Amino acid sequence: MWRGQAQFEETRQQFQKHPVVGQWKPLATASRGQELQQPEPSATDLGGGDENQSVAQLNVSRLRSSSVEIREKGSEFLKEELHRAQKELKLKDEECERLSKVREQLEQELEELTASLFEEAHKMVREANTKQAASEKQLREARGKVDSILFAEFQAWKESPTLDKSCSFLARIYHEDVGPCLDFTKHELSELIQAAVEQNTLNIEPVATQALPVVKVSAIECGGPNGFRSQIVTKCALSGLSRACRHRIKLGDSGNYYYISPSCRARITAVCNFFTYVRYIQQGLVRQDVELMYWEIMRLRKEMSMAKLGFYPSEM
């Protein structure tokens, strides 16, 4: 309860204890025909009226004072509430402004990042295009430096492809690649293998370890770790060396199998791949540009050269 309200309540209680006596008394009803006469107040009545009038004026003064105080208190309270609301509103405005600046900064950073990514992507594309153009230029230059004799021989053979090794194209490859690649220690068997390759009657198949011969050749069987059997080592039919022969070959319809080492298998396989591609060209199954065919022939010749030097994949 406010102070002004408490004073107002106190004044009201006092006013009830000392009621204001009216200064005027009601006029008596005059009889018909007679004039109404107002009685003159007595000295006692006059004295009591002044006292009552003073009390009433005091009460009214107190009421006015309490009312003014109440208005002042109410006005002060409203001012405080308004000031607090304005302060909160100002804080909210500052927070909104801060968040707006944060959003603008994030949008700017996002735009810069997007622009940077696009620029990096375009840079990578340009570099890739530059490298591709350089590679194509080098390829054209390399093709321009191809021995005109070799390419002319291939073009002449391509006009009328044949497997006759007397033509200049195949004669060169037989002399430089096929012959040396199939030249094994066992010369008689090497000639049989070359003939089977030319006739496309040679078969190569993997063999199980237990199928390897252990009677006619000296085999070494060692106990592996934890009691497991180690790989059986036997002699290669082409090199005559003791090797782990995981493949065997059969020539035509013969029932004889020859166990070969991984190195010999790589050499035979390289020659077979060359003759397979040449047969495809002869049968019209290769639908490529002449230069692409020529470079594939060069790649197959490279495989024969590598196998002849003893290089082969580990899985062989």
Side-chain angles (χ1 to χ4, degrees):
M1 183 179 294
W2 295 343
R3 179 182 176 184
Q5 187 176 359
Q7 292 180 355
F8 176 79
E9 184 67 21
E10 180 181 358
T11 304
R12 186 180 63 82
Q13 293 177 0
Q14 292 179 0
F15 183 76
Q16 290 179 354
K17 293 179 180 181
H18 304 282
V20 179
V21 180
Q23 300 178 3
W24 305 98
K25 292 183 179 181
L27 299 176
T29 305
S31 60
R32 185 176 299 177
Q34 295 180 351
E35 295 182 356
L36 296 177
Q37 296 181 356
Q38 182 177 357
E40 296 181 358
S42 60
T44 305
D45 292 338
L46 291 175
D50 294 337
E51 182 180 357
N52 293 335
Q53 186 175 4
S54 299
V55 172
Q57 291 177 354
L58 179 59
N59 292 336
V60 170
S61 176
R62 290 180 178 177
L63 287 174
R64 290 177 178 175
S65 176
S66 299
S67 177
V68 171
E69 187 175 359
I70 291 172
R71 285 197 299 269
E72 291 177 353
K73 292 294 184 179
S75 177
E76 183 178 355
F77 174 76
L78 292 177
K79 289 180 179 179
E80 292 178 356
E81 290 293 325
L82 179 60
H83 178 70
R84 183 167 57 253
Q86 291 176 345
K87 185 176 181 181
E88 293 178 355
L89 182 61
K90 183 179 179 181
L91 293 176
K92 290 181 179 180
D93 290 341
E94 293 177 353
E95 182 67 15
C96 291
E97 184 178 359
R98 186 185 68 82
L99 293 176
S100 178
K101 291 182 179 179
V102 171
R103 184 186 65 181
E104 292 177 357
Q105 183 178 359
L106 291 177
E107 291 177 351
Q108 183 178 0
E109 292 178 355
L110 180 60
E111 291 179 358
E112 293 177 355
L113 178 60
T114 304
S116 176
L117 291 176
F118 273 110
E119 183 179 356
E120 187 67 21
H122 287 304
K123 181 180 178 182
M124 294 175 64
V125 171
R126 288 194 301 269
E127 291 178 353
N129 292 335
T130 303
K131 291 181 180 179
Q132 182 178 0
S135 299
E136 292 176 353
K137 182 179 179 181
Q138 292 176 357
L139 179 59
R140 288 192 299 268
E141 292 176 353
R143 288 179 176 178
K145 296 178 181 179
V146 171
D147 192 335
S148 59
I149 298 178
L150 294 177
F151 189 66
E153 290 177 350
F154 173 74
Q155 282 184 314
W157 175 85
K158 176 65 175 59
E159 295 296 328
S160 180
T162 178
L163 296 180
D164 186 3
K165 58 184 177 182
S166 62
C167 69
S168 59
F169 171 67
L170 289 182
R172 180 186 296 274
I173 296 179
Y174 264 96
H175 177 70
E176 296 178 358
D177 302 308
V178 175
C181 200
L182 295 181
D183 185 15
F184 299 104
T185 303
K186 304 296 182 179
H187 297 289
E188 182 178 356
L189 184 57
S190 299
E191 294 177 356
L192 295 176
I193 290 176
Q194 181 173 326
V197 171
E198 294 172 353
Q199 299 169 8
N200 197 21
T201 59
L202 184 142
N203 295 318
I204 302 177
E205 60 183 28
V207 294
T209 303
Q210 59 269 24
L212 294 175
V214 294
V215 178
K216 295 183 179 180
V217 295
S218 59
I220 303 174
E221 184 177 359
C222 303
N226 301 324
F228 289 102
R229 292 163 58 88
S230 63
Q231 190 176 29
I232 296 178
V233 179
T234 187
K235 281 186 178 181
C236 173
L238 294 174
S239 65
L241 301 177
S242 297
R243 294 289 184 268
C245 300
R246 296 190 291 269
H247 291 82
R248 64 183 183 179
I249 60 175
K250 186 176 74 167
L251 307 178
D253 296 332
S254 174
N256 296 328
Y257 287 94
Y258 301 93
Y259 296 88
I260 58 176
S261 64
S263 174
C264 293
R265 184 208 172 204
R267 294 165 66 175
I268 296 173
T269 301
V271 176
C272 290
N273 291 338
F274 168 76
F275 275 97
T276 299
Y277 187 70
V278 169
R279 290 191 187 95
Y280 286 163
I281 296 177
Q282 183 190 26
Q283 297 169 6
L285 300 178
V286 181
R287 305 292 185 180
Q288 289 181 332
D289 184 73
V290 177
E291 289 189 8
L292 293 178
M293 292 183 188
Y294 176 79
W295 284 110
E296 180 62 17
I297 292 291
M298 293 298 103
R299 188 188 68 81
L300 294 172
R301 292 188 65 182
K302 178 182 177 181
E303 285 187 358
M304 288 188 286
S305 299
M306 297 294 292
K308 178 180 60 178
L309 296 174
F311 294 98
Y312 60 90
S314 58
E315 59 269 14
M316 287 188 174

